[in-house]
């Protein structure tokens, strides 16, 4: 959470910082601020709420700020202290000499604060970050060297941080450092850009260096030096970022979420192009670095993830167990890390994360790695912290996802699980050959079927209008689509704030059915196959309690029009693969309901896309 940016060069720092912060808004939008170097002093501008509020303030001060060519900026997702102006970054020391922006959490900030207060520092905010500003200032007052002050301060800080630091006495210097939080440096001609993530800099340069933990970079307009906390010089080689600025545009769609939903057929096409060539050839998944005999003899897998990625993991469990006869446990990372887990060198641990930065999942992965497990990471960000922990890495290649609500990355995660499960089944010989071929051939036509759903999106728009004004929503499903019900409910609640819940359909009668009456919509995910009749019976039970019934189905049975008030039809597909299709109408339903209610679809309240705090 939180995003930081820094700029040193010959252009307007305010413009570049604001542009960068706009691209990092997915990391939080509780407050924002910038610090700009002026002659002999640093000016700070801060605002509560959305970035536009800061923009308005800067616009009013345009004449004052336009000449500044060095600055740092921050967009906040509040952890310590309310999202007020006083708690907004940048934070400064008492004399205003040092200004810093920070992403992460300083765990020992209370002890540091007490110590610094005893030494005469006066604190203005409730943040953990302000301690670091005072600490660096104290170090600087002794050594008069900004890099050294940051290095000494970083040795006293526990926790996670990415920091950009400037000092009023150094109009040609910015110092940055990090530990367990992302930070990269973009290299331009006579200019450097620092940022929490690529989107903030890609418009300006593709040449970059990812800073490693405990490295400290000193940036001047024409030079970059990196040292470690022991003062050793670090040799670095810049890399070329494989990103295109166009990925950050809405391409004519009203929201990024809608654009990303529509990108799903091409995401699937791209993934399949590299991995599934024909129904007769083996799945190409060389990224999994387990030799065939280890794969064959695996008897336990643990999958760890959060939120939407957790739902992809649940589908993963279902199909790996079904195709490969291997026991799979799925667990929310936040639960996994605070209990004794039976994980060892014989366990394959799979971490799933769009961002690759989610703190809980990262910690869980590090814990299981320490126990000797092989770590397979499934992520959309091969440049992330989690990817760096991986023994095997499946990069899902969904392209950058800007909307806070995950859509195309979920599709790409699901598909990665299918390919992984089929690959393992091939190695183990655990799946009937004709089923293997059917699944492969159905996967090959998946993009066209996804397109068919998107072509008929008006039906879902109509459904959204009918049900938008409900307070609650229930999604029911069974088997491989139970996670689809959970994901449909999550999408709806996170962007529309309607209280939506997914249930295994068979569980309704064990409690939730008490909530049903004529005001409650119940959406049944009715995919043809083993549990179709069972869900139909559960739908009858709900209908008998006067619930407002919606079907999402791939059946053409006309009788459904009698039982259900609204029927959303999707193309037929083999039951195991049905989560790949069934989720799309639910993403659209959530989108259209939120849009109809006038909600901030791409930036729902209280959320951030990259959850880098536990
Ligand atoms: C919901 C959503 C979140 C994330 C969760 C994990 O739309 O996006 O639930 O799935 O915060 O994030 P990652 O996948 O980046 O680890």
């Amino acid at each position: 959470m939180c995003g930081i940016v820094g700029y040193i060069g010959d252009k307007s720092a305010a413009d570049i910082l604001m542009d960068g912060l706009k691209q990092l808004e997915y990391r939080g939008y509780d407050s924002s601020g910038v610090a700009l170097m002026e002659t002999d002093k640093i000016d700070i501008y801060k605002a509560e709420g959305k970035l536009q509020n800061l923009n308005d303030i800067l616009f009013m001060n345009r004449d004052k700020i336009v000449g500044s060519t060095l600055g740092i900026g921050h967009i906040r997702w509040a952890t310590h202290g309310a999202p007020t102006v006083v708690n907004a970054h940048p934070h400064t020391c008492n004399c205003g000499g040092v200004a810093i922006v920070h992403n992460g959490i300083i765990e020992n900030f209370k002890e540091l604060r007490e110590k610094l207060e005893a030494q005469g520092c006066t604190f203005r905010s409730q943040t953990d970050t302000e301690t670091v500003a005072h600490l660096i200032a104290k170090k600087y007052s002794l050594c008069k060297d900004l890099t050294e002050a940051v290095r000494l301060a970083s040795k006293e800080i526990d926790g996670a941080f990415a920091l950009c630091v400037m000092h009023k006495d150094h109009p040609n210097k910015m110092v940055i450092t990090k530990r367990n939080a992302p930070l990269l440096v973009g290299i331009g001609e006579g200019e450097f850009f620092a940022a929490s993530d690529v989107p903030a800099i890609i418009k300006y340069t593709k040449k970059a260096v990812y800073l490693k933990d405990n490295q400290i970079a000193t940036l001047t307009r024409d030079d970059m030096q990196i040292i470690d906390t022991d003062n050793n010089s670090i040799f670095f080689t810049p890399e070329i970022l494989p990103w295109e600025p166009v990925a950050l545009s809405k391409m004519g769609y009203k929201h990024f979420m809608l654009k990303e939903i529509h990108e799903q057929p091409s995401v699937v096409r791209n993934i399949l192009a590299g991995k599934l060539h024909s129904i007769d050839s083996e799945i190409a998944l060389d990224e999994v670095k387990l030799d065939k005999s280890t794969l064959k003899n695996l008897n336990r897998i643990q999958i760890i993830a959060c939120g939407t990625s957790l739902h992809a993991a649940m589908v993963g469990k279902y199909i790996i167990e079904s195709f490969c006869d291997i026991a799979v446990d799925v667990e929310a990372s936040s639960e996994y890390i605070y209990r004794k887990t039976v994980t060892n060198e014989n366990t394959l641990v799979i971490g799933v994360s769009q961002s690759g930065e989610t703190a809980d999942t990262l910690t869980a992965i590090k814990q299981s790695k320490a126990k000797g497990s092989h770590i397979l990471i499934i992520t959309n960000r091969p440049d992330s912290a989690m990817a760096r922990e991986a023994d095997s890495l499946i990069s899902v290649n969904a392209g950058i996802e800007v909307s806070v609500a995950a859509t195309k990355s979920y599709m790409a995660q699901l598909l990665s699980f299918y390919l992984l499960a089929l690959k393992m089944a091939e190695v183990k010989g655990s799946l009937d050959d004709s089923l293997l071929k059917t699944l492969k051939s159905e996967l090959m036509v998946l993009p066209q079927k996804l397109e068919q759903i998107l072509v008929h999106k008006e039906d879902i728009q109509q459904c959204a209008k009918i049900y938008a004004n409900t307070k609650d929503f229930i999604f029911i499903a069974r088997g491989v689509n139970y996670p689809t019900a959970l994901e449909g409910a999550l999408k709806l609640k996170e962007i529309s704030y309607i209280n939506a819940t997914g249930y295994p359909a068979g569980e309704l009668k064990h409690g939730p059915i008490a909530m049903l009456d004529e005001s409650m919509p119940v959406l049944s995910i009715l995919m043809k196959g083993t549990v179709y009749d069972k869900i139909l019976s559960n739908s009858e039970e709900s209908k008998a309690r006067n619930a407002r019934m919606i079907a999402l189905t791939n059946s053409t049975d006309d009788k459904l029009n009698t039982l259900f008030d609204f029927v959303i039809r999707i193309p037929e597909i083999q039951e195991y693969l049905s989560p790949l299709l069934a989720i799309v109408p639910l993403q659209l339903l959530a989108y259209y309901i939120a849009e109809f209610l006038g909600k901030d679809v791409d930036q729902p309240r209280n959320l951030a896309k990259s959850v880098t705090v536990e």
Side-chain angles (χ1 to χ4, degrees):
M1 336 287 258
C2 299
I4 62 173
V5 287
Y7 175 73
I8 180 165
D10 59 1
K11 304 196 179 74
S12 161
D15 290 345
I16 289 171
L17 296 176
M18 288 305 284
D19 201 32
L21 291 178
K22 179 89 208 129
Q23 304 305 337
L24 297 184
E25 259 191 311
Y26 73 86
R27 300 178 76 88
Y29 26 82
D30 285 338
S31 68
S32 53
V34 293
L36 296 169
M37 180 70 80
E38 301 297 343
T39 324
D40 295 337
K41 68 175 174 48
I42 296 171
D43 282 342
I44 308 277
Y45 303 87
K46 301 181 185 188
E48 245 178 79
K50 289 286 179 79
L51 195 59
Q52 186 55 42
N53 301 341
L54 179 63
N55 218 22
D56 294 343
I57 293 173
L58 292 180
F59 186 74
M60 286 187 298
N61 290 281
R62 184 84 207 150
D63 294 344
K64 224 169 113 192
I65 63 175
V66 76
S68 175
T69 55
L70 165 59
I72 56 180
H74 187 268
I75 188 121
R76 180 164 188 244
W77 188 87
T79 54
H80 293 72
T84 56
V85 169
V86 83
N87 287 332
H89 301 213
H91 288 285
T92 58
C93 61
N94 286 142
C95 73
V98 170
I100 69 164
V101 287
H102 164 224
N103 168 35
I105 290 189
I106 309 298
E107 278 161 13
N108 58 338
F109 85 99
K110 285 203 179 104
E111 302 93 89
L112 287 173
R113 184 171 174 145
E114 277 165 20
K115 214 160 96 185
L116 288 158
E117 279 174 335
Q119 290 171 17
C121 295
T122 308
F123 280 73
R124 288 149 296 191
S125 75
Q126 288 84 51
T127 64
D128 51 339
T129 303
E130 194 184 340
T131 52
V132 183
H134 293 295
L135 187 62
I136 293 173
K138 284 278 172 214
K139 303 290 177 200
Y140 183 83
S141 67
L142 300 173
C143 67
K144 302 290 177 205
D145 177 331
L146 189 57
T147 307
E148 179 64 359
V150 172
R151 185 182 79 83
L152 294 172
S154 73
K155 290 177 96 140
E156 290 182 26
I157 306 171
D158 294 337
F161 55 83
L163 293 167
C164 290
V165 184
M166 55 196 279
H167 193 290
K168 74 174 174 49
D169 294 344
H170 296 280
N172 185 24
K173 189 174 285 183
M174 174 166 55
V175 179
I176 64 175
T177 186
K178 66 150 266 176
R179 188 187 304 151
N180 294 331
L183 189 58
L184 79 160
V185 184
I187 303 170
E189 292 293 322
E191 57 186 356
F192 290 96
F193 309 80
S196 301
D197 199 359
V198 177
I201 65 167
I202 194 69
K203 200 166 139 187
Y204 305 102
T205 182
K206 286 184 141 202
K207 202 166 150 192
V209 172
Y210 282 91
L211 220 58
K212 298 205 173 67
D213 281 354
N214 301 313
Q215 292 185 343
I216 301 145
T218 304
L219 310 172
T220 59
R221 286 180 176 78
D222 48 14
D223 190 32
M224 166 157 78
Q225 298 289 335
I226 303 182
I227 55 165
D228 64 16
T229 38
D230 294 328
N231 227 342
N232 300 307
S233 290
I234 304 289
F235 177 78
F236 58 88
T237 317
E239 60 185 274
I240 302 300
L241 300 169
W243 294 85
E244 291 306 326
V246 73
L248 304 172
S249 128
K250 288 190 198 141
M251 308 284 279
Y253 288 96
K254 187 167 176 194
H255 294 102
F256 279 107
M257 183 178 177
L258 192 59
K259 173 191 162 217
E260 287 158 6
I261 291 172
H262 280 81
E263 282 173 348
Q264 294 178 111
S266 58
V267 166
V268 169
R269 244 180 221 115
N270 287 343
I271 298 173
L272 291 178
K275 300 200 160 40
L276 177 58
H277 303 299
S278 76
I279 59 167
D280 295 314
S281 53
E282 275 193 17
I283 306 273
L285 212 56
D286 300 338
E287 301 95 315
V288 179
K289 307 270 179 245
L290 286 168
D291 59 45
K292 286 201 169 177
S293 86
T294 314
L295 258 188
K296 212 170 180 164
N297 296 320
L298 260 183
N299 59 8
R300 180 133 191 263
I301 296 178
Q302 285 177 335
I303 316 182
I304 322 167
C306 302
T308 290
S309 300
L310 183 65
H311 299 151
M314 291 170 77
V315 176
K317 168 186 165 72
Y318 192 99
I319 55 172
I320 293 172
E321 290 190 337
S322 304
F323 299 173
C324 313
D325 294 326
I326 302 175
V328 182
D329 302 318
V330 173
E331 192 158 350
S333 319
S334 52
E335 291 298 316
Y336 182 93
I337 54 185
Y338 293 113
R339 70 177 182 86
K340 182 170 180 260
T341 51
V342 188
T343 307
N344 56 39
E345 59 280 3
N346 298 320
T347 320
L348 168 64
V349 172
I350 305 180
V352 193
S353 173
Q354 187 286 130
S355 63
E357 299 289 347
T358 300
D360 288 323
T361 309
L362 186 58
T363 307
I365 289 304
K366 285 181 177 169
Q367 283 180 2
S368 24
K369 193 170 178 174
K371 290 180 178 168
S373 307
H374 184 96
I375 305 293
L376 166 59
I377 298 293
I378 299 180
T379 182
N380 197 29
R381 296 299 301 265
D383 53 348
S384 61
M386 251 177 253
R388 286 190 286 278
E389 298 295 328
D391 298 309
S392 299
L393 175 66
I394 298 183
S395 173
V396 303
N397 286 329
I400 189 149
E401 190 173 61
V402 177
S403 174
V404 165
T407 53
K408 63 174 180 170
S409 62
Y410 178 70
M411 177 66 63
Q413 289 170 347
L414 284 186
L415 191 54
S416 301
F417 268 118
Y418 281 99
L419 294 169
L420 177 66
L422 290 175
K423 174 80 199 171
M424 292 191 335
E426 278 174 351
V427 172
K428 287 191 74 158
S430 52
L431 200 59
D432 172 74
D433 200 45
S434 77
L435 178 56
L436 186 62
K437 286 195 165 130
T438 305
L439 292 169
K440 284 183 179 174
S441 73
E442 292 228 16
L443 279 177
M444 290 169 98
V445 292
L446 182 64
Q448 291 91 305
K449 292 188 178 179
L450 290 167
E451 272 156 0
Q452 280 177 44
I453 297 174
L454 294 169
V455 165
H456 293 110
K457 59 179 183 266
E458 283 76 21
D459 295 349
I460 299 158
Q461 208 165 3
Q462 195 195 339
C463 180
K465 274 194 191 137
I466 299 171
Y467 296 95
N469 287 315
T470 184
K471 282 198 356 251
D472 306 284
F473 222 108
I474 286 179
F475 294 75
I476 57 170
R478 282 176 177 244
V480 71
N481 275 301
Y482 167 49
T484 312
L486 296 178
E487 177 59 9
L490 178 62
K491 284 289 90 85
L492 183 59
K493 71 183 133 196
E494 72 180 319
I495 61 169
S496 73
Y497 320 143
I498 291 171
N499 179 28
T501 315
Y503 293 107
E507 279 293 300
L508 262 194
K509 55 186 166 297
H510 299 289
I513 203 163
M515 295 187 299
L516 302 193
D517 62 18
E518 54 289 337
S519 68
M520 179 70 85
V522 173
L523 188 147
S524 305
I525 303 172
L526 263 172
M527 296 297 130
K528 281 166 72 180
T530 43
V531 287
Y532 180 88
D533 289 338
K534 296 282 173 207
I535 304 174
L536 208 53
S537 308
N538 301 133
S539 306
E540 298 272 8
E541 289 155 14
S542 305
K543 173 89 171 171
R545 272 78 186 177
N546 297 323
R548 305 168 74 190
M549 301 302 298
I550 309 163
L552 168 61
T553 187
N554 55 9
S555 158
T556 48
D557 186 354
D558 285 340
K559 286 202 284 291
L560 297 181
N561 295 334
T562 326
L563 173 57
F564 292 93
D565 305 312
F566 201 102
V567 180
I568 302 169
R569 295 196 195 264
I570 61 172
E572 279 206 31
I573 191 161
Q574 208 284 343
E575 186 182 15
Y576 282 124
L577 302 179
S578 57
L580 290 158
L581 288 187
I583 191 56
V584 179
L586 302 186
Q587 295 168 340
L588 286 167
L589 183 66
Y591 172 79
Y592 285 123
I593 289 180
E595 205 229 342
F596 186 79
L597 295 174
K599 303 296 184 204
D600 191 344
V601 171
D602 284 334
Q603 294 179 349
R605 70 184 181 203
N606 306 337
L607 292 177
K609 191 153 188 75
S610 201
V611 186
T612 54
V613 292
E614 279 180 13

